[in-house]
């Protein structure tokens, strides 16, 4: 079936039906030349006379032309034929009834050939509604080429000729290359060069073959696997359909691994047929490239193939001209043009020969200049069956990756090695410990957890080693998050590490930070034990780690000594291990400082950690630091580009949901402020269930407060009250008031909206008592806000105005501009009923401008609508009366753009159809994604189908989440 190629099909159809014309259709094998010809000519009223050349050692002269003429069976000529046409009677007996008697044979072969050529042209001219199609002319015999030169030197005026061939397989001196340049005047000519399909076209073709939609996530692997060649797509999809599952390797390299489906037989035969027609040099070079699997230079290929430089150059030239290899980069390295090519060649090499080639590759790479490609060396030793060398190289590769901060690479290597059987016991124990660290820092815990648990089943492990494994296991469980399981493993680790005080101190420091212990006596006890243990050690890195934990706990508890404890850490150290400990500590210190409202100090701490990390040129902790900076950006009103950054960080933490909580909240809160309440709820409701079930009380309170605010916007005060009060249960139980400023405000607002002033007063009293003497600027600002809300509900509006003004000033000092704008709005609302519009209107309009400047469009639209309803208030641009504000709904123009984008149209196509600029289209698409809460335009079609009602369903799910937690 033909997908795409619309312009090529139209051109071919037009020329084939308007003779005289000659069309040359070129492209790789399987690119769709025959399909294009069939679709373009088959739909017309012209008869297609089709013949094929075949890859024969001695092809039959004029074989493809004679085959084409058989299509005239039962079709009489349109005019009488001369005696010359009888020459064809023995060649085409199928149409003998329409041909004159054959003339006597001539003695001169050249004259006989010329008469045959004349007869062929006369016969074609006598059938004016036919199109001559000759395919695969790269295999044409010499007489066929000469006949085409004869025919096209003076073609019949009623004849259209279509010729297909693979240009890269033509002999350099082939006359076909210049055929189009030697046509007489009046003959229309065109060359159609078919290239691979685009990704979206590959996806469409796959869907047509499968008879069902192909997921977007599958389109790119399918494209990489097939290089966009339609024949390969068809064969691979047909094979996958028979297997009953869509599964291909996501990475383009290495291709020699037994990943994905086997090469379809039809594709494999086509590839190997081309290879067998080449020289021995090209075969050896192509085999070497298949074994090497990655882009490689000529010297490396020569070493693996066992060829001299001259033979290597010959083989490379032939491999490139034959379409097997291509130049990969400016460093003159070469790779396969098509993954299926590499896989077919690799699979055709015998097992013994593959092992020899892999061993050659390993040795050739080992003697290369530093840095040596250790991962590739390990791979080749493994495939060569040299187990000892493989283990040595694999461990060296993982160590090098860890030193460079590429923990994901290190974890992947170690997981692969440890997943196999038969490792020596000591080697396995050493690698499992390394895997624990690599998986922790790479945020890929799941496979490592399974491997560590399997190792712990060995009862013969020494207690110290067992304790070290449990420490790794506990830290990995924390990022799932599995807080209860992590605490259980860490407590056991602390007991088993009694004779290893450095690791014991680290374990106890982590236990001191656990959500279940950090705010109470258990946390203080663990911290004191960790400090005592660290003081006895001659290990500066461990001491710094424990002191960093102490400082973060003091900061998080709003202790007056917290900031100084953070400043006293040895930030200027040059010890590598101590510097890594400081980078790790900077994350938790910044998070603790931010939780109580020391936003500027949090920024300084993040900058210090990032500076040290860059000095070390280390990838470790980069995502963690960026995630906390994103959350700080939300708090401090730096929202430009923040949603995209948070979504990218979510993708980086896809295997570690415990580390993604802050980024999920950042995205959700930005959506909420922008007015996309449905999209925000879809993120917050499941997130609330996760964090609440793991004892993450501060996150649970913050999320519940946001959901309560959404309930109030929807006019559901009872649901708002139930959600908010459930959210602060953990806060009340553990005395965490200093860190929940936003949640406290939301809880008080919800209680007052539900007509429960006494309960609201109790919460305010508990809040005030909980932050008394605390170094918590955000809590103090929030306390002004809560007292202002209580005074407003009690009818003391003058007092409420003063308290909201104090709250606004306190929020601005942090700075927290979003909360400051909310306090400013509340102050204006208190002034308006008393007839003090001269004071109220500037406050309300100022809040509107604050919301707009931040990007809190949902808040701005809501407030602007309320001010218009009040009447008599002059609004600033862009909030003057005029076109209707659509808020969280799609405007008509946005709906048009969304429909076209969801149908797969590009920005340029949408702009042309709607008569708007591409830049305007970009803005509308961005607005659609924001309002619908989507990550990419590929999700638009499905989102539009389910739009409506989802928000209410998700909001109702907030209460269900709390009920599941037994709240």
């Amino acid at each position: 079936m033909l997908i795409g190629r619309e312009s090529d099909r139209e051109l071919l159809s037009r020329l084939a039906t308007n003779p005289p014309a000659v069309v040359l259709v070129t492209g790789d094998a399987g690119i769709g030349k025959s399909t294009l010809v069939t679709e373009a000519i088959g739909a017309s009223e012209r008869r297609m006379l089709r013949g094929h050349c075949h890859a024969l050692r001695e092809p039959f002269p004029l074989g493809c032309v004679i085959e084409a003429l058989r299509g005239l069976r039962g079709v009489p000529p349109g005019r009488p034929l001369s005696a010359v046409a009888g020459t064809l009677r023995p060649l085409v007996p199928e149409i003998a009834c329409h041909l004159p008697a054959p003339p006597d044979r001539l003695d001169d072969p050249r004259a006989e050939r010329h008469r045959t050529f004349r007869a062929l042209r006369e016969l074609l001219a006598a059938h004016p509604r036919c199109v001559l199609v000759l395919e695969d002319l790269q295999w044409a015999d010499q007489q066929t080429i000469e006949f085409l030169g004869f025919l096209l030197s003076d073609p019949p005026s009623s004849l259209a000729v279509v010729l297909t061939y693979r240009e890269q397989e033509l002999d350099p001196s082939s006359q076909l290359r210049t055929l189009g340049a030697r046509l007489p005047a009046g003959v229309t000519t065109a060359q159609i060069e078919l290239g691979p399909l685009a990704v979206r076209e590959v996806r469409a073709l796959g869907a047509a073959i499968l008879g069902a939609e192909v997921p977007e996530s599958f389109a790119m692997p399918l494209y990489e696997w097939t290089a966009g060649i339609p024949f390969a797509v068809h064969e691979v999809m047909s094979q996958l359909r028979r297997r009953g599952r869509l599964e291909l390797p996501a990475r383009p390299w290495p291709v020699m691994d037994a990943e994905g489906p086997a090469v379809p037989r039809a594709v494999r035969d086509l590839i190997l047929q081309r290879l067998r027609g080449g020289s021995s040099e090209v075969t050896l070079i192509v085999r070497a490239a298949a074994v090497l699997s990655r882009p490689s230079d000529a010297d490396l290929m020569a070493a693996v193939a066992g060829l001299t430089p001259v033979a290597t150059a010959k083989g490379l030239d032939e491999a490139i001209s034959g379409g097997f290899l291509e130049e990969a980069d400016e460093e003159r390295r070469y790779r396969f043009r098509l993954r299926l090519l590499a896989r077919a060649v690799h699979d055709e090499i015998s097992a013994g020969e593959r092992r020899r080639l892999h061993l050659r590759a390993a040795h050739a790479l080992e003697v290369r200049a530093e840095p040596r490609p250790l991962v590739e060396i390990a791979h080749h030793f493994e495939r060569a069956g040299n187990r000892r060398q493989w283990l040595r190289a694999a461990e060296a590769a993982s160590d090098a990756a860890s030193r460079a901060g590429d923990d994901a690479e290190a974890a992947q290597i170690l997981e692969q090695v440890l997943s196999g059987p038969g490792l020596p016991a000591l080697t396995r124990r050493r690698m499992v410990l390394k895997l624990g660290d690599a998986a922790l820092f790479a945020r890929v815990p799941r496979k490592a957890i399974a491997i560590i648990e399997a190792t712990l089943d060995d009862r013969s492990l020494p207690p110290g080693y067992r304790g070290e494994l449990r420490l790794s296991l506990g830290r990995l469980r924390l990022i799932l998050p599995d807080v209860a399981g992590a605490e259980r493993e860490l407590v056991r680790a602390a007991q088993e590490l009694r004779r290893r005080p450095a690791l014991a101190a680290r374990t106890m420091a982590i236990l001191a930070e656990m959500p279940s212990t950090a705010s109470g006596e258990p946390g203080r006890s663990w911290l004191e034990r960790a400090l005592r243990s660290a003081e006895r050690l001659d290990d500066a890195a461990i001491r710094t780690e424990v002191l960093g934990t102490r400082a973060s706990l003091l900061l998080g508890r709003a202790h007056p000594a917290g900031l100084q404890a953070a400043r006293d850490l040895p930030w200027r150290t040059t010890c590598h291990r101590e510097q890594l400990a400081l980078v790790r500590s900077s994350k938790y210190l910044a998070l603790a400082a931010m939780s109580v409202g020391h936003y500027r100090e949090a920024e300084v701490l993040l900058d210090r950690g990032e500076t040290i990390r860059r000095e070390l040129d280390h990838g470790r902790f980069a995502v963690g630091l960026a995630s906390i900076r994103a959350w700080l950006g939300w708090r401090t009103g730096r929202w430009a580009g923040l949603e995209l950054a948070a979504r990218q960080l979510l993708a980086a933490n896809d295997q570690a949901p415990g580390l993604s909580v802050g980024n999920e909240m950042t995205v959700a809160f930005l959506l909420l402020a922008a007015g996309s309440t449905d999209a925000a709820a879809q993120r917050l409701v499941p997130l609330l269930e996760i964090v609440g079930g793991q004892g993450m009380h501060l996150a649970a309170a913050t999320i519940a407060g946001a959901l309560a605010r959404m309930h109030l916007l929807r006019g559901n005060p009872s649901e708002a009250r139930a959600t908010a009060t459930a959210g602060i249960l953990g806060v009340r139980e553990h005395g965490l008031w200093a860190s929940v400023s936003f949640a406290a405000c939301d809880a008080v607002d919800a209680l007052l909206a539900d007509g429960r002033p006494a309960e609201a007063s109790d919460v305010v009293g508990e809040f005030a008592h909980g932050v008394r003497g605390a170094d918590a600027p955000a809590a103090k600002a929030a306390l002004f806000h809560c007292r202002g809300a209580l005074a407003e509900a009690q009818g003391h509006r003058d007092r409420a105005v003063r308290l909201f003004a104090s709250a606004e000033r306190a929020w601005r000092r942090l700075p927290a501009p979003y909360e400051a704008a909310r306090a400013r709005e509340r102050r204006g609302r208190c002034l308006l009923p008393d007839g003090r519009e001269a004071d109220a209107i500037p406050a309300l309009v100022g809040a509107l401008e604050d919301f707009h400047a931040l990007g809190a469009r949902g808040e701005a639209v809501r407030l602007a609508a309320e001010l218009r309803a009040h009447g008599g208030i002059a609004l600033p641009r862009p909030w003057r009366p005029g076109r209707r504000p659509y808020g969280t709904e799609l405007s008509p123009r946005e709906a048009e753009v969304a429909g076209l984008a969801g149908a797969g149209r590009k920005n340029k196509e949408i702009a042309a159809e709607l008569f708007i600029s591409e830049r305007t289209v970009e803005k509308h698409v961005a607005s659609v994604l924001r309002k619908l809460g989507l990550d990419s335009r590929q999700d638009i079609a499905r989102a539009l189908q389910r739009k409506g009602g989802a928000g209410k369903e998700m909001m109702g799910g907030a209460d269900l989440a709390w009920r599941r937690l037994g709240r």
Side-chain angles (χ1 to χ4, degrees), residues 528-661:
E528 290 169 1
R529 291 172 62 184
L531 287 168
R532 286 196 301 270
S533 183
E535 287 170 0
R536 294 194 295 266
L537 292 172
D538 185 22
D539 190 327
I542 292 293
R543 280 201 305 275
T544 297
E545 200 171 315
V546 174
L547 289 172
T549 298
R550 173 180 175 272
S552 66
L553 289 172
L554 290 174
L555 267 174
R557 295 172 187 167
H559 194 285
L563 281 177
Q564 192 57 49
R567 292 167 184 159
D568 288 342
L569 292 174
W571 294 103
R572 297 185 182 278
T573 182
T574 57
C575 171
H576 180 83
R577 290 180 57 244
E578 199 171 2
Q579 286 177 316
L580 283 177
L582 284 169
V583 177
R584 176 186 179 276
S585 293
S586 67
K587 292 194 312 174
Y588 299 106
L589 287 166
L591 191 59
M594 182 170 52
S595 71
V596 296
H598 288 299
Y599 295 162
R600 290 187 174 88
E601 191 70 25
E603 186 84 31
V604 170
L605 289 163
L606 288 172
D607 288 345
R608 283 179 171 174
E610 183 63 21
T611 298
I612 296 173
R613 189 191 70 79
R614 288 181 177 174
E615 287 174 355
L616 295 172
D617 193 21
H618 214 283
R620 192 172 294 169
F621 305 118
V623 174
L625 288 168
S627 297
I628 296 170
R629 196 179 293 276
W631 182 236
L632 181 61
W634 154 257
R635 291 282 186 95
T636 55
R638 289 173 291 182
W639 294 1
L642 187 58
E643 184 179 342
L644 176 60
R647 289 181 187 273
Q648 290 172 340
L649 290 166
L650 278 173
N653 280 325
D654 61 345
Q655 292 193 46
L659 299 179
S660 300
V661 170

Side-chain angles (χ1 to χ4, degrees), residues 7 15 49 223 475 506 596-597 709 784 967:
S7 60
L15 294 183
L49 306 179
Y223 173 79
R475 297 172 78 183
R506 174 178 290 167
V596 296
R709 198 182 310 168
F784 282 128
R967 303 282 183 169

Side-chain angles (χ1 to χ4, degrees), residues 210 213-215 217-226 233 235-251 257-264 339-340 343 447:
L210 194 64
E213 185 178 357
V214 171
S217 59
F218 181 76
M220 182 54 73
L222 180 61
Y223 173 79
E224 291 175 340
W225 191 248
T226 61
V233 175
E235 293 299 315
V236 169
M237 288 301 298
S238 298
Q239 186 181 88
L240 294 178
R241 182 176 59 187
R242 290 192 295 272
R243 290 174 57 181
R245 67 178 186 273
L246 295 182
E247 187 178 332
L248 283 171
R251 295 173 297 134
D257 290 338
E259 297 175 341
V263 179
R339 293 183 70 188
L340 285 176
R343 181 68 182 273
K447 287 185 179 179

Side-chain angles (χ1 to χ4, degrees), residues 663-715:
N663 293 315
E664 283 282 7
M665 291 166 65
T666 299
V667 173
F669 289 179
L670 286 168
L671 291 170
L672 175 59
S676 300
T677 53
D678 289 356
Q682 287 171 1
R683 289 182 177 273
L684 290 176
V685 170
L687 189 61
L688 173 63
E689 188 166 358
I690 292 171
V691 300
Q694 295 298 329
M696 302 167 72
H697 306 300
L698 299 181
T702 305
I703 295 168
L707 288 169
R709 198 182 310 168
M710 280 191 277
H711 281 306
L712 289 179
L713 288 172
R714 294 175 183 273

Side-chain angles (χ1 to χ4, degrees), residues 130-400:
C130 293
V131 179
L132 177 64
V133 178
L134 301 180
E135 299 218 54
D136 290 322
L137 287 173
Q138 71 276 0
W139 294 323
D141 62 281
Q142 186 58 33
Q143 278 204 42
T144 297
I145 299 297
E146 292 174 357
F147 168 68
L148 286 173
F150 173 83
L151 174 69
L152 299 180
S153 65
D154 183 21
S157 60
S158 61
L159 181 66
V161 179
V162 178
L163 309 175
T164 77
Y165 56 90
R166 307 173 198 168
E167 191 162 11
Q168 78 265 16
E169 295 186 36
L170 285 181
D171 187 273
S173 60
S174 173
Q175 295 174 335
L176 278 175
R177 294 184 182 276
T178 58
L179 196 61
R182 295 185 282 112
L183 298 173
V187 178
T188 307
T189 182
Q191 179 164 351
I192 298 174
E193 185 174 353
L194 297 183
L197 300 178
V199 176
R200 61 182 177 82
E201 293 170 332
V202 166
R203 185 185 183 195
L205 178 56
I209 297 166
L210 194 64
E213 185 178 357
V214 171
E216 176 69 22
S217 59
F218 181 76
M220 182 54 73
L222 180 61
Y223 173 79
E224 291 175 340
W225 191 248
T226 61
I229 295 177
F231 176 65
V233 175
H234 186 279
E235 293 299 315
V236 169
M237 288 301 298
S238 298
Q239 186 181 88
L240 294 178
R241 182 176 59 187
R242 290 192 295 272
R243 290 174 57 181
R245 67 178 186 273
L246 295 182
E247 187 178 332
L248 283 171
R251 295 173 297 134
W253 302 96
V255 297
M256 70 287 200
D257 290 338
E259 297 175 341
V263 179
R265 179 179 294 276
V267 178
R268 186 189 64 201
D269 291 346
L270 180 64
I271 292 167
L272 297 178
Q273 181 187 54
R274 289 172 56 191
L275 184 60
R276 292 186 187 111
S279 66
S280 60
E281 288 87 354
V282 74
T283 300
L284 291 172
I285 282 293
V286 168
R287 286 183 173 186
V291 166
L292 285 166
S293 82
R294 295 181 184 272
S296 305
D297 57 42
D299 290 341
L300 184 57
M301 287 188 178
V304 177
L307 292 174
T308 65
V310 173
T312 299
K314 177 186 176 184
L316 267 175
D317 287 343
E318 194 173 335
I320 293 169
S321 63
F324 289 97
L325 302 182
E326 64 182 2
E327 200 165 304
D329 50 38
E330 295 178 355
E331 298 177 18
R332 295 190 65 78
R333 296 187 300 175
Y334 304 91
R335 68 182 176 198
F336 275 96
R337 293 181 61 249
L338 173 62
R339 293 183 70 188
L340 285 176
L341 279 171
R343 181 68 182 273
V345 172
H346 184 270
D347 290 353
E348 192 68 11
I349 305 171
S350 68
E353 179 64 15
R354 274 205 302 266
R355 285 194 294 271
R356 285 191 291 275
L357 293 176
H358 278 295
L359 191 58
R360 283 184 188 173
H363 289 316
L365 290 168
E366 274 196 312
V367 299
R368 295 219 143 189
E370 297 289 347
R372 292 182 301 157
L374 294 169
V375 175
E376 293 178 53
I377 293 170
H379 171 84
H380 289 300
F381 274 129
E382 181 197 12
R383 290 307 174 97
N386 192 324
R387 189 172 182 78
R388 184 177 61 83
Q389 293 283 68
W390 165 55
L391 292 176
R392 176 187 59 78
E395 189 168 7
S398 71
D399 291 345

Side-chain angles (χ1 to χ4, degrees), residues 41 44 80 140 164 184 267 379 448 460 503 558 561 601 688 866 870 883:
I41 302 174
S44 70
T164 77
V267 178
H379 171 84
S460 67
L503 291 178
E601 191 70 25
L688 173 63
E866 292 176 8
H870 184 78
R883 287 190 300 174

Side-chain angles (χ1 to χ4, degrees), residues 332-556:
R332 295 190 65 78
R333 296 187 300 175
Y334 304 91
R335 68 182 176 198
F336 275 96
R337 293 181 61 249
L338 173 62
R339 293 183 70 188
L340 285 176
L341 279 171
R343 181 68 182 273
V345 172
H346 184 270
D347 290 353
E348 192 68 11
I349 305 171
S350 68
E353 179 64 15
R354 274 205 302 266
R355 285 194 294 271
R356 285 191 291 275
L357 293 176
H358 278 295
L359 191 58
R360 283 184 188 173
H363 289 316
L365 290 168
E366 274 196 312
V367 299
R368 295 219 143 189
E370 297 289 347
R372 292 182 301 157
L374 294 169
V375 175
E376 293 178 53
I377 293 170
H379 171 84
H380 289 300
F381 274 129
E382 181 197 12
R383 290 307 174 97
N386 192 324
R387 189 172 182 78
R388 184 177 61 83
Q389 293 283 68
W390 165 55
L391 292 176
R392 176 187 59 78
E395 189 168 7
S398 71
D399 291 345
S402 291
R403 285 193 299 272
D406 191 353
D407 296 294
E409 176 82 354
Q412 185 178 9
I413 295 168
L414 291 167
E415 285 169 359
Q416 180 184 359
V417 174
L418 290 166
S419 296
L423 279 181
L426 292 178
T427 301
R428 182 176 185 83
R429 290 179 184 180
R430 184 174 65 249
M431 286 188 169
V432 170
L433 285 177
K434 291 179 179 181
L435 172 61
D437 285 341
L440 175 69
F441 297 126
R443 305 169 304 281
V444 286
R446 300 187 187 280
K447 287 185 179 179
I449 286 175
I451 290 171
I452 292 174
E453 287 180 333
T455 305
L456 283 169
D457 289 340
D458 182 359
R459 297 181 179 274
S460 67
L461 298 176
Y465 176 79
R466 183 180 291 276
E468 191 171 0
L469 276 187
R470 289 199 191 281
L471 171 58
S472 286
L473 184 57
R475 297 172 78 183
L476 289 168
R477 285 197 173 282
L478 272 176
I479 63 176
L480 279 179
D482 175 10
V483 176
E487 185 174 358
R488 182 174 60 250
E489 297 296 342
L490 290 169
V491 169
R492 295 181 66 181
Q495 295 169 352
E496 293 171 338
L497 289 169
R498 286 191 297 271
R499 295 185 180 181
R500 302 184 67 181
L503 291 178
R506 174 178 290 167
T507 304
M508 291 184 284
I510 296 171
L511 281 165
E513 293 179 297
M514 296 285 287
S516 57
T517 64
S519 59
E521 180 57 35
R524 286 190 290 274
S525 175
W526 283 119
L527 180 60
E528 290 169 1
R529 291 172 62 184
L531 287 168
R532 286 196 301 270
S533 183
E535 287 170 0
R536 294 194 295 266
L537 292 172
D538 185 22
D539 190 327
I542 292 293
R543 280 201 305 275
T544 297
E545 200 171 315
V546 174
L547 289 172
T549 298
R550 173 180 175 272
S552 66
L553 289 172
L554 290 174
L555 267 174

